[in-house]
Amino acid sequence: MKPGSGTRAVCAVLAALALTVTACSAKDDDTKTPGGGENTGIKTGPGVTDTEIHIGELSDLSGPQAPLGKSVTNAQQLYFDQINAAGGICGRKVVMDVKDHAYDAQKARTAYTELSGKVIGISQLVGSAIVTQLQDDIERDGLLTLPQAWASTLLGKDFIQVTATTYDIEMINGFEYLARTTPLAAGDKVGHIYSDDEFGVNSALGVKYATQAAGVSVVEQKVKPTDQDMTAVVTALKSAGVKAIVISSGPRQVAPVMVGTEAAGLKVPVLSHSVGFHPQLLAVAAAPMEARLMIASPAPPVSSTDLPAVAKLSADYLAKFPGMPVDQGVISGYAAAGIFGEDLRAACAAGDLTREGVVAAHRKQTGMDVGLGLKLDFSSNSRPPSYQTFILKVDKSKPGGLVTVETAHEVPGVKAYVLPQAG
């Protein structure tokens, strides 16, 4: 979210959405076990007390990905508040311990050090670069971590779980749609603006693969995640004569690119990841995004009326956070919380509410659906749980500013693409 969304058992998470979740019953508990667990036979470890389960949140609440971080954090708070109102998990209240790393590697390391000994796992870690910075520590500590980052270089880890389609796969699916629905021809040039971090570099691999398949060439423009002046980038792409543009960066780049290309007369189709779009962009009048911007997303838009779970989530979110934008980060954050919640329930049912028990329960999840129109398989750490991508377009009249153009799909043969993995 790039993005997303994926999750587990239909009945369990949709039950959570409807506030009918059944927690492990404390009435069956009559003895204490070593480690402080009240439930009979329940093993416990760091982050778990007789009354609480602590989950870590390492978010960007003040840096370049703050719009995403705030939405994800709020959505996860909504999820766990609903779970706690329904009795908690395993007779315990779920507590979120939130730290803001501001997309700064040193701040993230400090925050991780403060949290790692006190939580059972991490249900939110924003930023591919931040995940890469912390991955060795996470693996050493055995903390199940669900990043808001979908670089395929995060695959192959025992405890870091990409929760949706990876950025490169997302671009392969998304570019196929762009090439199929716009007047691109063999030999044309496509501009690719991407951030100089794990997100952008991983996305670039998918763009290269997809453009080669389409017989078009790529004009690359690398930017920093904090850059906002896109004048030189737009000028370079116009001079190159590109027929379309792909952006693998955040909203801070998408907005000025849309404004700049409009002003320069470079009114070509633009494809972005969902993490590059935020409803705040709709206020930029100089960038008519409805005509040119399309979004490759791991999840449906919050405006989806055919998915009851999404409609209920939007309503619940606005009730709890009035005035806050309901964007794709809301769906992505809620879904990730749902994954972690289901893992905790499964670990409780297995009698092992330790870090190891949660990870073991997680790997047994092979077909979870949180009402997003996807089934996710977490049994292997070497592949993403889904290869499917939604194609969205801008519609200012809809909640979140996006509507579905094409439902979840994968390009035929996309699994022939060789996924890079962390070394």
Side-chain angles (χ1 to χ4, degrees):
M1 199 223 194
K2 158 186 158 237
S5 32
T7 355
R8 329 272 187 247
V10 177
C11 58
V13 180
L14 291 184
L17 286 168
L19 285 181
T20 57
V21 175
T22 302
C24 300
S25 174
K27 290 188 291 186
D28 297 330
D29 310 332
D30 53 17
T31 65
K32 282 194 172 185
T33 56
E38 284 187 337
N39 296 350
T40 301
I42 300 293
K43 294 171 60 180
T44 62
V48 181
T49 72
D50 290 350
T51 58
E52 295 180 337
I53 300 173
H54 287 257
I55 297 176
E57 308 259 331
L58 291 171
S59 189
D60 179 2
L61 301 177
S62 57
Q65 292 293 341
L68 170 68
K70 291 175 182 177
S71 295
V72 170
T73 300
N74 287 345
Q76 296 208 343
Q77 187 66 65
L78 170 64
Y79 176 86
F80 289 119
D81 283 352
Q82 290 176 333
I83 293 302
N84 290 334
I89 294 177
C90 218
R92 294 164 170 85
K93 176 183 177 181
V94 181
V95 179
M96 286 171 45
D97 293 338
V98 182
K99 297 285 186 181
D100 175 20
H101 60 58
Y103 214 87
D104 179 274
Q106 186 54 52
K107 290 181 179 178
R109 180 164 294 284
T110 300
Y112 178 83
T113 300
E114 293 173 353
L115 278 180
S116 59
K118 305 173 183 177
V119 298
I120 194 171
I122 299 174
S123 64
Q124 176 198 167
L125 178 49
V126 170
S128 296
I130 302 301
V131 183
T132 300
Q133 166 77 12
L134 298 175
Q135 61 184 352
D136 290 343
D137 302 272
I138 292 169
E139 291 291 298
R140 177 199 66 213
D141 297 334
L143 282 167
L144 178 64
T145 298
L146 309 183
Q148 290 292 311
W150 299 272
S152 57
T153 49
L154 297 176
L155 297 173
K157 295 294 185 179
D158 291 328
F159 305 107
I160 297 172
Q161 176 63 68
V162 175
T163 58
T165 312
T166 53
Y167 297 128
D168 43 3
I169 295 296
E170 195 166 85
M171 278 296 100
I172 293 171
N173 289 332
F175 191 84
E176 186 276 338
Y177 176 84
L178 184 150
R180 173 164 38 93
T181 58
T182 60
L184 275 179
D188 282 345
K189 295 179 181 179
V190 174
H192 186 207
I193 304 167
Y194 65 97
S195 56
D196 187 15
D197 57 14
E198 284 78 357
F199 161 35
V201 172
N202 185 236
S203 179
L205 294 176
V207 172
K208 288 177 181 177
Y209 184 89
T211 52
Q212 287 175 0
V216 300
S217 59
V218 182
V219 180
E220 294 185 332
Q221 294 289 309
K222 189 183 298 185
V223 299
K224 295 178 181 178
T226 54
D227 286 347
Q228 297 187 57
D229 185 352
M230 297 288 108
T231 304
V233 170
V234 171
T235 299
L237 294 182
K238 183 177 181 181
S239 297
V242 301
K243 302 297 184 182
I245 296 173
V246 180
I247 307 178
S248 304
S249 194
R252 292 189 181 191
Q253 287 77 41
V254 172
V257 166
M258 297 303 296
V259 171
T261 53
E262 192 73 18
L266 187 59
K267 300 180 181 182
V268 298
V270 179
L271 172 68
S272 177
H273 295 270
S274 59
V275 295
F277 179 83
H278 191 272
Q280 292 173 349
L281 299 186
L282 301 178
V284 183
M289 300 183 189
E290 288 178 292
R292 295 197 288 124
L293 183 62
M294 59 191 75
I295 307 292
S297 173
V302 293
S303 62
S304 298
T305 56
D306 59 332
L307 297 169
V310 175
K312 186 177 189 308
L313 170 57
S314 297
D316 290 347
Y317 187 85
L318 285 173
K320 186 172 181 63
F321 303 104
M324 295 295 290
V326 186
D327 57 22
Q328 293 306 101
V330 173
I331 287 185
S332 180
Y334 198 94
I339 294 172
F340 213 101
E342 285 310 298
D343 292 340
L344 290 174
R345 290 191 191 90
C348 176
D352 190 355
L353 205 56
T354 64
R355 292 175 177 180
E356 296 80 4
V358 172
V359 172
H362 175 73
R363 289 295 167 210
K364 294 179 181 178
Q365 307 280 13
T366 59
M368 178 170 286
D369 178 356
V370 284
L372 303 184
L374 295 169
K375 288 187 181 294
L376 305 177
D377 181 352
F378 293 96
S379 60
S380 172
N381 66 2
S382 63
R383 63 174 184 264
S386 170
Y387 277 78
Q388 295 190 315
T389 301
F390 293 82
I391 306 298
L392 316 179
K393 72 173 184 177
V394 177
D395 186 335
K396 295 181 180 180
S397 69
K398 301 298 184 181
L402 296 171
V403 293
T404 302
V405 175
E406 193 163 280
T407 56
H409 74 289
E410 64 181 65
V411 175
V414 68
K415 290 177 182 174
Y417 167 75
V418 179
L419 287 157
Q421 295 185 7

